[in-house]
Structures are given as C-alpha cells and as structure tokens.
C-alpha cells in the first residue's frame, strides 16, 4: 500500500504529541499498579495469575479495552474530516487503504506499548525472587495486542461514520459493550433457536478466544486468525467509508 509507512509515522507521532494520549497512558499505569498489587495480594503472591489480570484474565483489562481504543481513534478520521486534513490526504499520492491502515497500526502500537507495562512488573518481581513464566506472558501480551487492534479497527469504523469525535467514541464504546453481551445472547439463542445460531454467536465471543489460547500460554493459529480476520473485516468497512468521502467530495 503506497504511503503506508509515512501515514503510520505521522499518526504515531501525532498520538505521542497529543495530551489526551499521555493522560490516558498515565491513568492506565496508575490503574494497573493498583490492580497488580491487589491481584498479587488476593492470589497469595502467585505472580503469573496477578500478571495475567493485566492481559485479559480479569475485568480490569476488558474495562480498559472497552474505553481506551475508542478514545484513541475517535479523532483519527472524524476530526480530520471536519478540519479538511482528511480531504488533503485523500488527494495526496497515498491509497485510502494506506491512510486507514496506518491509523490502525499507530493505535495498535500505542496499545501494545500500554500492555507492555506487564513486562516491567515481570522484571520487578523477578528481581525480588519470583520470576514469571516469560513464554506464557509474551503469548498473553500478543493476544492482548491483537484484541487491541480489533477494537481499534472498530473505533476507526465509528470515527468514519461520524463527523464528531465524541459521537464516534460513544458509538465505538456501545459496539464494544455489545460484544461482551454476545455470550449472554448465545445462551438465549441456544434455548430459543437451537444450536446453530448459538454456535455462530460463540464464534464471535472475543473473551472465549482470548481464554482459549493466549491466556493458557499456547499460541493457537485458529484464535490468531480469528482476531486478524475480524480486524481485517472492520478495516475493510472503514476503508470503504473513507472512500465514500472521496466520491462525495
């Protein structure tokens, strides 16, 4: 995709220069520190379990996933569309896919660095005499990064749908919350409609895919493909929405 590298560097630089991103980064670090100490105390000093809370084995991670990606992506398309920067990019010698993919990669990189804080805690407890399972920790971090990319792609779809960043964030948060109700809908569908609809909903269960592979320390290609495929689908929708702006212009 022509211009992907330039868009990625531009968006990543914009994120690290934005006050909102640094505010979110600091708040998340503070939140994770409290969660880690509480998890370590509740688990009786079991390091791997306490670290896994950061990466999907508990509500703190999923709470962050619901809110942080929409806040990171809400301005990426909607604000640029309103200010005219997006129209400039669309007339530049870069493809629409490169514009949207570069934004997705920048948001995913920021989230990957956010989740990588778990390695700092791992090193800390290792120096104190309780080394974690580094292999399992890396696999869980990879899974968290894929989850972050998927939710960032949904955030870009919402940002492309709305010309107002706050509305885009609200739409993305609603979509993220809806994903977590899929297990409940699966159980209802199994009781009312039978097994086939329930199996379809089960395949969309993000939490189950995270638990089924990454949090067990096993890198299952099926679960990797799940996140990559749905991220690609959301990215495709976002690109088409951006393309519609080109033709509308």
């Amino acid at each position: 995709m022509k211009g992907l590298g330039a868009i990625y560097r531009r968006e990543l630089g914009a994120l690290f220069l934005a006050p909102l991103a640094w505010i979110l980064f600091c708040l998340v670090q503070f939140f994770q520190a409290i969660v880690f100490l509480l998890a370590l105390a509740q688990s009786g000093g079991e390091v791997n379990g306490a670290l896994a809370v950061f990466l999907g084995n508990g509500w703190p991670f999923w709470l962050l996933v619901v809110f942080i990606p929409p806040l990171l992506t809400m301005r990426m398309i909607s604000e640029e569309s309103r200010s005219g920067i997006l129209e400039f990019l669309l007339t530049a010698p870069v493809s629409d896919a490169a514009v949207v993919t570069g934004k997705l990669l920048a948001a995913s990189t920021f989230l990957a660095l956010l989740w990588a804080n778990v390695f700092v805690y791992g090193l800390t407890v290792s120096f104190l005499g309780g080394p974690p399972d580094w292999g399992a920790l890396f696999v869980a971090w990879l899974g968290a990064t894929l989850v972050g990319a998927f939710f960032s792609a949904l955030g870009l779809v919402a940002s492309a749908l709305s010309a107002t960043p706050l509305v885009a964030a609200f739409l993305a948060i609603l979509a993220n919350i809806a994903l977590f109700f899929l297990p409940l809908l699966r159980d209802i569908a199994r009781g009312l409609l039978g097994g086939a609809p329930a199996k379809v909903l089960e395949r969309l269960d993000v939490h189950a895919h995270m638990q089924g592979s990454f949090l067990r320390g096993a890198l299952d290609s099926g679960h990797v493909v799940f996140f990559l495929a749905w991220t690609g689908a959301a990215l495709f929708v976002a690109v088409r929405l951006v393309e519609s702006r080109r033709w509308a212009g």
Side-chain angles (χ1 to χ4, degrees), residues 50-72:
L51 292 174
V53 174
F54 282 156
L55 302 174
N57 195 26
W59 64 266
F61 171 80
W62 298 105
L63 180 65
L64 294 176
V65 163
V66 166
F67 290 100
I68 300 299
L71 294 177
L72 287 177

Side-chain angles (χ1 to χ4, degrees), residues 153-240:
L154 293 177
L156 286 174
V157 172
S159 186
L161 282 172
S162 174
T164 305
L166 288 178
V167 174
F170 178 73
L171 291 175
I173 290 171
L174 285 182
N176 294 347
I177 293 174
L179 281 176
F180 289 99
F181 280 96
L182 287 179
L184 176 61
L185 295 177
R186 176 194 62 197
D187 297 335
I188 295 174
R190 182 177 290 112
L192 298 178
L193 303 175
K199 289 182 178 180
V200 173
L201 292 173
E202 185 174 358
R203 292 184 179 276
L204 297 176
D205 190 343
V206 177
H207 186 265
H209 283 279
M210 188 68 177
Q211 289 276 1
S213 174
F214 302 102
L215 290 177
R216 296 180 180 179
L219 193 58
D220 189 323
S221 60
H223 296 289
V224 174
V225 169
F226 167 83
F227 286 110
L228 291 178
W230 281 104
T231 301
L235 184 64
F236 176 81
V237 174
V239 170
R240 292 296 173 264

Side-chain angles (χ1 to χ4, degrees), residues 5-242:
I7 296 295
Y8 170 68
R9 291 190 296 271
R10 172 185 176 273
E11 294 296 331
L12 191 61
L15 274 178
F16 280 100
L17 290 175
L20 176 62
W22 283 108
I23 291 172
L24 290 175
F25 196 90
C26 293
L27 289 176
V28 170
Q29 302 310 306
F30 180 72
F31 176 72
Q32 287 180 329
I34 294 176
V35 168
F36 177 68
L37 293 175
L38 291 175
L40 197 61
Q42 292 179 357
S43 63
E46 206 283 304
V47 172
N48 291 315
L51 292 174
V53 174
F54 282 156
L55 302 174
N57 195 26
W59 64 266
F61 171 80
W62 298 105
L63 180 65
L64 294 176
V65 163
V66 166
F67 290 100
I68 300 299
L71 294 177
L72 287 177
T73 58
M74 65 180 183
R75 295 180 179 271
M76 285 187 167
I77 297 177
S78 62
E79 182 69 21
E80 289 190 350
S81 176
R82 187 169 59 177
S83 64
I85 297 177
L86 184 63
E87 283 68 21
F88 173 77
L89 287 176
L90 296 180
T91 57
V94 295
S95 65
D96 298 336
V99 170
V100 180
T101 304
K103 294 176 182 294
L104 173 63
L105 291 177
S108 301
T109 300
F110 187 90
L111 289 171
L113 293 174
L114 204 61
W115 310 144
N117 188 47
V118 70
F119 295 114
V120 176
Y121 288 97
L123 287 172
T124 302
V125 295
S126 182
F127 286 138
L128 294 175
D133 185 339
W134 289 108
L137 193 62
F138 177 79
V139 171
W141 171 81
L142 178 60
T145 300
L146 291 174
V147 171
F150 174 44
F151 281 86
S152 295
L154 293 177
L156 286 174
V157 172
S159 186
L161 282 172
S162 174
T164 305
L166 288 178
V167 174
F170 178 73
L171 291 175
I173 290 171
L174 285 182
N176 294 347
I177 293 174
L179 281 176
F180 289 99
F181 280 96
L182 287 179
L184 176 61
L185 295 177
R186 176 194 62 197
D187 297 335
I188 295 174
R190 182 177 290 112
L192 298 178
L193 303 175
K199 289 182 178 180
V200 173
L201 292 173
E202 185 174 358
R203 292 184 179 276
L204 297 176
D205 190 343
V206 177
H207 186 265
H209 283 279
M210 188 68 177
Q211 289 276 1
S213 174
F214 302 102
L215 290 177
R216 296 180 180 179
L219 193 58
D220 189 323
S221 60
H223 296 289
V224 174
V225 169
F226 167 83
F227 286 110
L228 291 178
W230 281 104
T231 301
L235 184 64
F236 176 81
V237 174
V239 170
R240 292 296 173 264
L241 290 171
V242 170

